[in-house]
Amino acid sequence: MSAQPTGELPYVDTKPQGSADFYFATNATFRFILQRLGRAGWVSYLEELGRAYFAPVNDRWRAGGLPAVARYWRAFFAAEPGAKVEVAETPDRVEVVVHGCPAIKHLRAGGREIVREYCQHCYFLGNARAEAAGLTMRLAGGNGSCRHTFAVATGSTTPQDINQIKEAGL
Amino acid sequence: MIGCYDFCGHYEWTFGWMERVGGHALVRDYWNEAINHDAQRHARGLIEREGIPGMLKYWGHTLAEESPSLGFAISHREDVFRIDFHDCPSRGFLLRNGLKNYRDYCDHCMGWTGPMLRESGYVIDHEHNHRGQCWWEMRPAAATGGHAPPGSVAGKKDVRLRPEWQDPRAKFDRYVKATDPDAKQL
């Protein structure tokens, strides 16, 4: 992704990309919550984060539909250092194809023990945000490359199979 | 995905969530266990091994990355390491974006650096005004005395010389030879 962040992002910094070392803190936060509050607590954290902190994005998705989803993810990954991502838009879905996850890449480069559930966070967070916008989100792959699919909620979407999300690791 | 671009935003939100779920003790444990002992273990290792030169390596690198516009100034001598934040990249992000989910975001810095410095044998003198401006002096734990006079360590880079520091509306938290986030003197 080469585009600079745009007004599609709800919270804007003065620099064009974030500091990759913050991925260490996200990984450590997951480990802490999983150890202290268990899996249910971690899932609850992600879902509440998705509905509350990301509410401005969810509102834009609800108002702007799938084109707004595609614009957001293009801007999002342009601001993440080292991301290799394509965002494909069709009339009924948006596919976010992650060829190189910036977080997994940096955690590996830093020699960090990656929480094995790490990649599931994209589903629990992403689906909570999608549902708030009248959409669904499904995830396949993980551990460095994956595919996120956002679609309009129709009631017939196949439930997410958590086993389709790979465990993360070095 | 949780990104790093707006890290300070969801980090701050997380403090508020943790306090609602597990109270103040959980937030304190989070800063110490997850940030000090896990995420920032590279900083701990450097400072444990090298002391003040290790602080220079860690903060010199991380602040240049977080704040390319250099809203900070580092001063150091054999007996003290000092940082003056004239425009904190972290607090500034929250102020610019109107984000507040936790009662005092600035506590997090002492929350993880305090225990880290204590474990390496240092104490911290520190003051912040909740407006993105603060200063830190880190000295060996055996050092005596209170806050050094303005300008005595950082010269003209001392944030306390700014006109904004004297604004009567600013609310200060002050730490003296401290390593505990709750040891603030209001």
Side-chain angles (χ1 to χ4, degrees), chain A residues 18-67:
Chain A
S19 172
D21 280 0
F22 285 140
Y23 294 132
F24 296 158
T26 298
N27 185 50
T29 298
F30 292 170
R31 186 169 10 257
F32 179 82
I33 296 174
L34 283 161
Q35 288 174 348
R36 288 299 194 93
L37 304 172
R39 181 176 174 81
W42 180 64
V43 171
S44 176
Y45 163 71
L46 293 167
E47 291 177 342
E48 288 182 46
L49 180 71
R51 289 189 292 266
Y53 174 75
F54 287 101
V57 184
N58 305 340
D59 291 345
R60 288 184 195 178
W61 289 0
R62 177 173 287 280
L66 292 174

Side-chain angles (χ1 to χ4, degrees), chain B residues 135-164:
Chain B
W135 62 269
W136 299 75
E137 287 182 359
M138 303 164 191
R139 292 183 174 82
T144 57
H147 286 191
S152 62
V153 175
K156 292 180 180 176
K157 297 180 293 185
D158 193 318
V159 72
R160 291 172 291 180
L161 301 176
R162 295 178 68 103
E164 302 97 305

Side-chain angles (χ1 to χ4, degrees), chain B residues 63-97:
Chain B
L63 290 178
E65 191 166 271
E66 283 182 48
S67 180
S69 58
L70 300 182
F72 65 94
I74 288 176
S75 311
H76 60 97
R77 300 189 311 226
E78 191 176 338
D79 62 335
V80 61
F81 180 82
R82 178 178 171 107
I83 311 173
D84 287 87
F85 283 94
H86 293 258
D87 183 10
C88 171
S90 182
R91 180 69 179 140
F93 180 87
L94 302 178
L95 290 171
R96 285 192 299 277
N97 287 287

Side-chain angles (χ1 to χ4, degrees), chain B residues 2 8 19 25 43 47 59-60 72 76 82 106 114 116 144:
Chain B
I2 293 179
C8 299
E19 187 156 77
I47 294 167
W59 274 295
F72 65 94
H76 60 97
R82 178 178 171 107
C106 295
M116 178 178 74
T144 57

Side-chain angles (χ1 to χ4, degrees), chain B residues 110-121:
Chain B
M110 186 62 85
W112 74 268
T113 59
M116 178 178 74
L117 271 285
R118 181 178 63 238
E119 291 159 8
S120 294

Side-chain angles (χ1 to χ4, degrees), chain B:
Chain B
M1 177 182 165
I2 293 179
C4 67
Y5 174 75
D6 63 335
F7 173 81
C8 299
H10 49 75
Y11 185 50
E12 191 269 350
W13 187 92
T14 298
F15 304 164
W17 181 84
M18 286 205 181
E19 187 156 77
R20 288 192 293 278
V21 169
H24 183 54
L26 188 69
V27 181
R28 283 176 57 101
D29 288 351
Y30 169 64
W31 289 332
N32 184 33
E33 294 175 25
I35 307 303
N36 171 26
H37 282 266
D38 190 341
Q40 301 302 95
R41 69 179 196 192
H42 52 300
R44 291 181 70 240
L46 263 176
I47 294 167
E48 278 176 355
R49 285 193 306 273
E50 302 181 21
I52 288 174
M55 296 179 200
L56 182 60
K57 285 180 187 171
Y58 169 67
W59 274 295
H61 163 77
T62 197
L63 290 178
E65 191 166 271
E66 283 182 48
S67 180
S69 58
L70 300 182
F72 65 94
I74 288 176
S75 311
H76 60 97
R77 300 189 311 226
E78 191 176 338
D79 62 335
V80 61
F81 180 82
R82 178 178 171 107
I83 311 173
D84 287 87
F85 283 94
H86 293 258
D87 183 10
C88 171
S90 182
R91 180 69 179 140
F93 180 87
L94 302 178
L95 290 171
R96 285 192 299 277
N97 287 287
L99 292 169
K100 183 175 174 61
N101 191 48
Y102 183 68
R103 53 191 165 76
D104 195 342
Y105 175 77
C106 295
D107 285 355
H108 89 94
C109 270
M110 186 62 85
W112 74 268
T113 59
M116 178 178 74
L117 271 285
R118 181 178 63 238
E119 291 159 8
S120 294
Y122 290 84
V123 291
I124 301 170
D125 289 306
H126 166 63
E127 229 177 349
H128 59 253
N129 67 359
H130 297 94
R131 295 179 170 200
Q133 292 160 344
C134 66
W135 62 269
W136 299 75
E137 287 182 359
M138 303 164 191
R139 292 183 174 82
T144 57
H147 286 191
S152 62
V153 175
K156 292 180 180 176
K157 297 180 293 185
D158 193 318
V159 72
R160 291 172 291 180
L161 301 176
R162 295 178 68 103
E164 302 97 305
W165 195 262
Q166 313 303 329
D167 189 329
R169 294 168 298 177
K171 177 180 168 291
F172 289 92
D173 285 352
R174 178 183 173 91
Y175 294 84
V176 179
K177 304 285 178 283
T179 56
D180 188 309
D182 292 330
K184 65 173 75 170
Q185 301 172 4
L186 303 177

